[in-house]
Amino acid sequence: MDTNLSSYTRLPDQPTAAPNRRPVKAIAGIFLSILLLSSLVAFILNNGPRDAPNNVPKSQVLPETWMPPSRGVEQGVSEKAFREYSGMDPEYNWTNTMLAWQRTAFHFQPQKNWMNDPNAPLFHMGWYHIWYQYNPDSAIWGNITWGHAVSTDLIHWLHLPIAMVPDHWFDSNGVWTGSATLLPDGQIVILYTGDTDDYVQVQNLAYPANLSDPLLLDLVKYEGNPIMVPPPGIGMKDFRDPTTAWVGPDGKWRVAIGSKVNTTGITLVYQTTNFTSYELLEGVMHAVPGTGMWECVDFYPVSTTGRNGLDTSVNGPGIKHVLKASLDDEKKDFYALGTYDTINDKWTPDDPELDVGVGLRVDYGKYYASKTFYDHNKQRRILWGWIGETDSEYDDLMKGWASVQTIPRTVVFDVKTGTNILQWPVEEVEELRRNSIEFNGVELAPGSIVPLNIRSATQLDITATFEVDKEALEGVLEVDVGYNCSTAGAGVRGALGPFGLIVLADHSLFELTPVYFYISKDVGGGYKTFFCADEIRSSLALEVNKKVHGGMVPVLDGEKLTMRLLVDHSIVESFAQGGRTVITSRIYPTKAVDGAARAFLFNNATGVSVTASLTVWEMKSAYIKPYPFDDI
């Protein structure tokens, strides 16, 4: 059916070009050698402080008004405030040094203020572009515009002027998430959600004013916006986040949009020939009962036979399609592999038990609103994701910024398992490596911890391999069928785990973040391997969220257990088995900062010894600065 635009009339005398805007001053000012230590690890991990001890710096109890209000929900987007903090716990007395240390060195983030979803990533005339949801006025959500930055390598970034601001009736309450599509003739189409003056979610069209400009500094909003409005049966606040478009066998372009019907998450599909008029296709592309609102939907092909990425329109033999949704109710990103029927525009999961929202997570940590794009420059698919904050808004206002983006990751189909994707940091991040140190054949007896003698543990790239004593593994009789990362932690000992790495720890292990494997044995004698990251003792601050994240990771016969960690101040990105399972940790140390940060190997299993080998690189900082317009 054709979307009815009659009730949405463009306001007269509105400019159609989104003016460049430089951020204004924040509304809320800124407030201010290897030694084996046998048998210690069990005591440390089990008996260390879970909350702040009596000797923490002087704290203050915030007034109840500091309980953060809900942000975004009334306008129809996912909750943007971290509300697990009540405002009544003692607020940690952060120093300027601690807050400055939290800022990352090689992850992308604006110079100041709030950021959330990555938008419309693409490659154009030698530059990678990332737009993003941005509040130019404060370190909390609101007044959402599109920030903009460019890079030649996805690591070093140059900030550009704001790209789009909420200056039309069709986006006056927010220029929300969107995607870019590169057309065969070189044109660039940007579709984004606007929150109208009466709080209705509509889809809008924008495009570069000058395609010959490598920086794409000026985006023009189509004068006929909105181009799509909520269809009958869809709530006015349940219609958002258009995908990158793909072309079908009939030559028409398709765009998917997330929504819901009652508690069923759905993906709607529209088709178009000109990107200004759209037809809603019958039915839905896919629906999963009980998963609630789907936002930031992503849909793309992966090759089952090669390692290169694929353009979004590619289909045929040797291809599966990934359908991903960010679940508003859970604030988690789920995906599934399946088959796309191009004739009926329907998608079917390979395994209904691993359907979207009930099976595989893109990332098991603090991670949301992910977005991919096809990098035709290097024939790869690149994934971005938003790392939100889990401290208090008061803390964010003090430090003057909130949120970072993950290191961009490549995405490919896992040809070995056939059941999942593989995510891996883009190769360009390895250019930041320096001063590597190798530790080979480190024997970890049950209940042991080994300090790693490295100069600095704040910015690291670590690759590690763990081998479990096979004879001891097969001899274990203990059955462990109920293990779950989220309900256990590094201090919960089993016959076959946990063991792994501890990062961002102080020398006394008062603060620490373990990243580890845990092997459980089932009644039938089989094994399941879990990959977890434990934040419970990552910080002495009471107001920050501290959980254990993770999930199962497939391990095939004959494979060693492997992990890679990117440590960047207050962010740890962890990849198991080549990226089958990924965890992003957002942490706020108070003691393990700057030169005080340490790293360790540990084995807290009771029944097996583990041999570890690893390489540790210190990481240089990335160059992330404003674009040098004055030098041109």
Side-chain angles (χ1 to χ4, degrees), residues 106-225:
F106 55 87
H107 283 72
F108 176 77
Q109 59 187 124
Q111 291 179 285
K112 61 181 180 178
N113 296 329
W114 169 276
M115 174 180 64
N116 55 287
D117 307 5
N119 293 159
L122 57 82
F123 180 82
H124 176 70
M125 295 183 67
W127 292 96
Y128 291 100
H129 291 253
I130 184 69
W131 288 270
Y132 52 91
Q133 301 283 277
Y134 181 58
N135 182 356
D137 299 328
S138 178
I140 57 179
W141 184 89
N143 186 31
I144 294 301
T145 69
W146 272 31
H148 187 198
V150 292
S151 172
T152 59
D153 60 5
L154 292 168
I155 302 300
H156 304 284
W157 291 91
L158 297 172
H159 298 296
L160 295 174
I162 288 174
M164 290 196 290
V165 300
D167 58 357
H168 290 62
W169 73 268
F170 51 77
D171 62 11
S172 62
N173 281 303
V175 182
W176 288 352
T177 290
S179 302
T181 302
L182 278 60
L183 304 185
D185 62 0
Q187 294 187 73
I188 297 173
V189 171
I190 294 175
L191 302 177
Y192 71 95
T193 298
D195 191 24
T196 72
D197 52 3
D198 53 356
Y199 299 101
V200 176
Q201 295 175 10
V202 300
Q203 311 314 315
N204 300 314
L205 168 64
Y207 49 88
N210 181 9
L211 283 172
S212 64
D213 174 15
L215 300 181
L216 301 177
L217 288 174
D218 296 308
L219 299 182
V220 176
K221 297 177 183 179
Y222 173 56
E223 64 179 7
N225 281 333

Side-chain angles (χ1 to χ4, degrees), residues 487-498:
T487 58
V492 176
R493 305 187 70 183
L496 304 176

Side-chain angles (χ1 to χ4, degrees), residues 431-490:
E431 297 173 6
L432 299 178
R433 290 172 170 176
R434 64 177 182 178
N435 301 332
S436 66
I437 304 176
E438 293 188 0
F439 303 89
N440 294 311
V442 182
E443 298 294 332
L444 300 172
S448 62
I449 186 167
V450 177
L452 298 176
N453 184 19
I454 54 180
R455 185 175 63 180
S456 174
T458 292
Q459 297 170 209
L460 301 175
D461 187 352
I462 307 174
T463 60
T465 300
F466 298 88
E467 296 182 74
V468 179
D469 182 271
K470 186 175 181 180
E471 184 176 340
L473 177 66
E474 295 175 347
V476 168
L477 300 178
E478 178 182 311
V479 174
D480 188 1
V481 297
Y483 188 84
N484 185 295
C485 289
S486 63
T487 58

Side-chain angles (χ1 to χ4, degrees), residues 294-375:
W294 287 9
E295 55 183 1
C296 300
V297 169
D298 205 0
F299 183 66
Y300 57 90
V302 289
S303 172
T304 61
T305 60
R307 298 286 294 182
N308 283 347
L310 299 173
D311 180 85
T312 309
S313 295
V314 173
N315 201 0
I319 291 174
K320 290 184 181 293
H321 275 78
V322 174
L323 179 60
K324 167 259 163 182
S326 299
L327 270 58
D328 189 4
D329 291 351
E330 296 192 39
K331 309 300 181 291
K332 299 172 182 176
D333 277 20
F334 287 82
Y335 79 94
L337 289 162
T339 301
Y340 173 48
D341 177 353
T342 59
I343 304 302
N344 298 303
D345 288 291
K346 307 296 181 186
W347 177 91
T348 304
D350 289 347
D351 183 351
E353 294 187 1
L354 296 177
D355 207 343
V356 180
V358 297
L360 301 171
R361 297 262 301 275
V362 179
D363 187 301
Y364 287 81
K366 185 59 179 175
Y367 181 95
Y368 197 64
S370 58
K371 173 63 185 172
T372 68
F373 76 103
Y374 175 62
D375 174 16

Side-chain angles (χ1 to χ4, degrees), residues 382-420:
I382 302 296
L383 170 70
W384 285 90
W386 166 43
I387 308 172
E389 302 291 338
T390 58
D391 58 355
S392 71
E393 287 189 348
Y394 181 81
D395 293 347
D396 295 339
L397 289 167
M398 281 197 299
K399 69 190 182 195
W401 57 270
S403 305
V404 302
Q405 301 291 339
T406 59
I407 293 298
R409 306 169 183 172
T410 58
V411 178
V412 297
F413 176 72
D414 188 347
V415 297
K416 292 183 179 180
T417 65
T419 59
N420 54 269

Side-chain angles (χ1 to χ4, degrees), residues 13 83-84 146 379 388 414 427 537 553 566 599 606 630-631:
D13 302 323
R83 307 195 78 230
E84 294 182 39
W146 272 31
Q379 293 78 54
D414 188 347
E427 61 186 4
R537 290 178 49 212
V553 57
L566 293 176
T606 62
D630 294 340
D631 297 340

